[in-house]
Amino acid sequence: MPKNRSKQLLFYVLFLLSNAFPRIYESGGSWIFSYYYPWNNIGHPFMRMSNVPHHLVIQACIMAAFYLFIAYRQGKKRKYLAGLAITAILLSSMQPLQWAFVAGVLGISGSIIPTGIFFLSGLPFALYFRQFFSLPPYQYTITWENLQQIHIPFWHFIRIHGPLMILALIGLVPVIRKRNRSIFPLILYSIIATVLFFSPIPEKMHILNLRFFSVILTLTIAYISTDLIWSISRRTPGLAWFLAFLVIVITIPVTARQLYERTVFNRENINTYLPIGALA
């Protein structure tokens, strides 16, 4: 997290409002305004702030794990280790893949004690979860999910995460050169998740490639974008807000469209309303 208050606010605004690029195309003789979208895209704010309770808890646990890990390395206090143990239990009970992934990233980041506690605390629950889904009918869920892999080109990956992804790609190397130990685990997580997403590994492991992503990706690109904007506008602080506004204004229509889709009364949406006669 940036230490400057204005920089913190800029970071928060970018993280909160980050969205995909708009998409305008012609269909059936009329122009349609939409946005770039694959299923379950964490790049959309209403997907990051999901209204599904256990999804919110999973995202909160992932963020908490990184916060507690970084806080322990800075302060070496036992309360952070206790927090990591509780977080690991919750996360491994609901999303063992993310628990294992986060544990691996923490281990690569180089602190044995917090990584060991996080791993050992969640291990029994992850093993139970694995055994549970190896039995019918739950094993068929894994088979179905493996058929839902999302295969998109990298350019489309940029479009579904919007302007912040472009800024993050530009500012990635300068941020890495600063050797900030606090942001390194988040960058590592995001890079590995992206590489796995585009690799054949998830499909061979019968894992949906989207499951490697979490809110950490948007958090990371928001941080890098904030750092880049702040570096450009160091002599003129007001310019930082102007650049941030330009980034966000591109996606404001997309956010409005997504909000409309979530609030409009549409009886033809079979995910919300049963078709007439379905129960007859």
Side-chain angles (χ1 to χ4, degrees):
M1 175 69 71
K3 295 182 180 180
N4 182 289
R5 288 294 179 88
S6 297
K7 196 174 180 181
Q8 287 178 356
L9 181 58
L10 175 60
F11 165 70
Y12 176 75
V13 170
L14 292 180
F15 168 72
L16 185 66
L17 300 181
S18 176
N19 210 331
F21 277 109
R23 181 188 179 199
I24 302 174
Y25 61 96
E26 185 181 7
S27 178
S30 59
W31 290 95
I32 298 176
F33 177 84
S34 183
Y35 48 91
Y36 289 97
Y37 173 85
W39 173 62
N40 201 30
N41 176 29
I42 205 72
H44 298 164
F46 295 107
M47 188 61 66
R48 292 195 297 275
M49 297 175 283
S50 170
N51 57 359
V52 181
H54 76 277
H55 288 176
L56 288 173
V57 174
I58 289 171
Q59 299 300 327
C61 285
I62 295 171
M63 289 192 292
F66 281 103
Y67 168 77
L68 293 166
F69 176 79
I70 294 169
Y72 175 79
R73 293 208 303 187
Q74 294 175 343
K76 304 290 185 181
K77 296 182 180 179
R78 293 182 179 178
K79 63 179 181 180
Y80 298 130
L81 296 178
L84 276 170
I86 295 172
T87 301
I89 291 172
L90 291 173
L91 186 57
S92 62
S93 300
M94 293 180 288
Q95 183 51 277
L97 173 64
Q98 279 293 336
W99 161 79
F101 186 28
V102 171
V105 171
L106 298 185
I108 296 173
S109 299
S111 293
I112 297 177
I113 295 178
T115 302
I117 288 179
F118 184 83
F119 177 77
L120 293 175
S121 298
L123 184 59
F125 301 91
L127 292 176
Y128 171 78
F129 198 100
R130 184 175 182 274
Q131 177 64 23
F132 182 78
F133 272 87
S134 67
L135 302 174
Y138 306 104
Q139 65 184 142
Y140 303 119
T141 302
I142 297 177
T143 303
W144 174 86
E145 187 173 281
N146 187 48
L147 299 175
Q148 312 306 312
Q149 305 288 338
I150 303 297
H151 299 292
I152 57 176
F154 186 71
W155 172 237
H156 187 63
F157 179 75
I158 293 175
R159 292 187 294 192
I160 65 177
H161 288 92
L164 285 194
M165 181 59 75
I166 294 178
L167 292 179
L169 291 173
I170 296 173
L172 178 60
V173 174
V175 167
I176 292 177
R177 286 176 177 172
K178 292 180 180 180
R179 298 182 180 180
N180 186 334
R181 294 185 66 195
S182 296
I183 191 64
F184 174 75
L186 304 182
I187 293 176
L188 184 64
Y189 174 99
S190 300
I191 291 175
I192 296 176
T194 304
V195 170
L196 288 172
F197 174 78
F198 285 101
S199 76
I201 295 176
E203 191 167 2
K204 291 181 179 180
M205 296 178 63
H206 302 285
I207 298 172
L208 178 64
N209 55 358
L210 279 175
R211 287 200 177 274
F212 287 99
F213 287 128
S214 74
V215 71
I216 294 298
L217 176 62
T218 307
L219 196 73
T220 303
I221 65 175
Y223 177 92
I224 297 174
S225 299
T226 300
D227 190 79
L228 177 65
I229 292 174
W230 209 259
S231 298
I232 293 173
S233 57
R234 188 169 297 166
R235 296 183 180 180
T236 312
L239 182 59
W241 291 106
F242 178 71
L243 292 174
F245 174 78
L246 288 179
V247 170
I248 296 302
V249 76
I250 296 175
T251 57
I252 285 178
V254 173
T255 305
R257 176 67 183 179
Q258 292 168 350
L259 181 61
Y260 169 78
E261 291 175 350
R262 284 179 169 261
T263 56
V264 68
F265 181 78
N266 181 11
R267 295 187 65 178
E268 296 181 358
N269 185 352
I270 62 174
N271 293 318
T272 307
Y273 303 100
L274 285 174
I276 296 176
L279 301 179

